[in-house]
Amino acid sequence: MAKRVLVVEDNELNLKLFCDLLRAHGYDTEPVRDGREAVTRARGFLPDLIITDIQLPHMTGLELITMLKGDTRLRTIPIMAVTAYSGRDDEDRVRAAGANAYVTKPISVVRFIGEVRGLLPLEGEA
């Protein structure tokens, strides 16, 4: 059974890119365009990994990560933050909020998939 990834990204092109890359590497994806929907969708989809942008409308990715980590059903799901922020302080804040991985935009496809596999190995890769 394929591992499931919830992708939270408001930019349509990035959302499509991330989902297409993940599907091409054997993952099932659930796209979400708004952080306000992400917790509810995560509860229904029960992903094995959550990938979220940090710059989202209506709520920040940091707020979303905090909410996910505060939810007893979702707190153990690894989170990968993808962001245009690239400063050391930015990464420290994102990791302090609970993200397990941090990837900067524009993404390197190799690094993106490498981080995903590090958090969520496919069957036979562990």
Side-chain angles (χ1 to χ4, degrees), residues 2-117:
K3 300 285 184 168
R4 301 158 62 93
V5 182
L6 183 81
V7 181
V8 186
E9 170 64 67
D10 63 309
N11 179 289
E12 192 67 37
L13 291 175
N14 286 338
L15 184 64
K16 182 175 177 3
L17 171 66
F18 299 163
C19 288
D20 287 351
L21 279 172
L22 291 162
R23 287 185 198 118
H25 285 85
Y27 298 94
D28 284 339
T29 63
E30 177 76 10
V32 179
R33 289 168 186 78
D34 188 328
R36 295 175 299 184
E37 298 174 27
V39 174
T40 301
R41 294 280 281 286
R43 286 182 186 135
F45 185 63
L46 294 177
D48 299 293
L49 172 66
I50 297 169
I51 297 175
T52 185
D53 186 14
I54 294 302
Q55 291 179 278
L56 295 168
H58 312 295
M59 76 177 344
T60 69
L62 290 173
E63 292 168 325
L64 175 58
I65 292 168
T66 301
M67 288 176 65
L68 290 164
K69 291 300 180 179
D71 186 297
T72 55
R73 290 181 59 206
L74 306 174
R75 72 173 47 144
T76 61
I77 299 170
I79 297 173
M80 183 170 95
V82 182
T83 182
Y85 297 135
S86 60
R88 185 72 198 156
D89 291 343
D90 296 319
E91 181 174 355
D92 291 344
R93 278 193 350 263
V94 169
R95 288 187 180 276
N100 304 86
Y102 181 89
V103 176
T104 57
K105 295 178 189 175
I107 66 160
S108 154
V109 171
V110 171
R111 174 138 192 261
F112 180 86
I113 292 299
E115 291 286 348
V116 169
R117 284 190 171 147

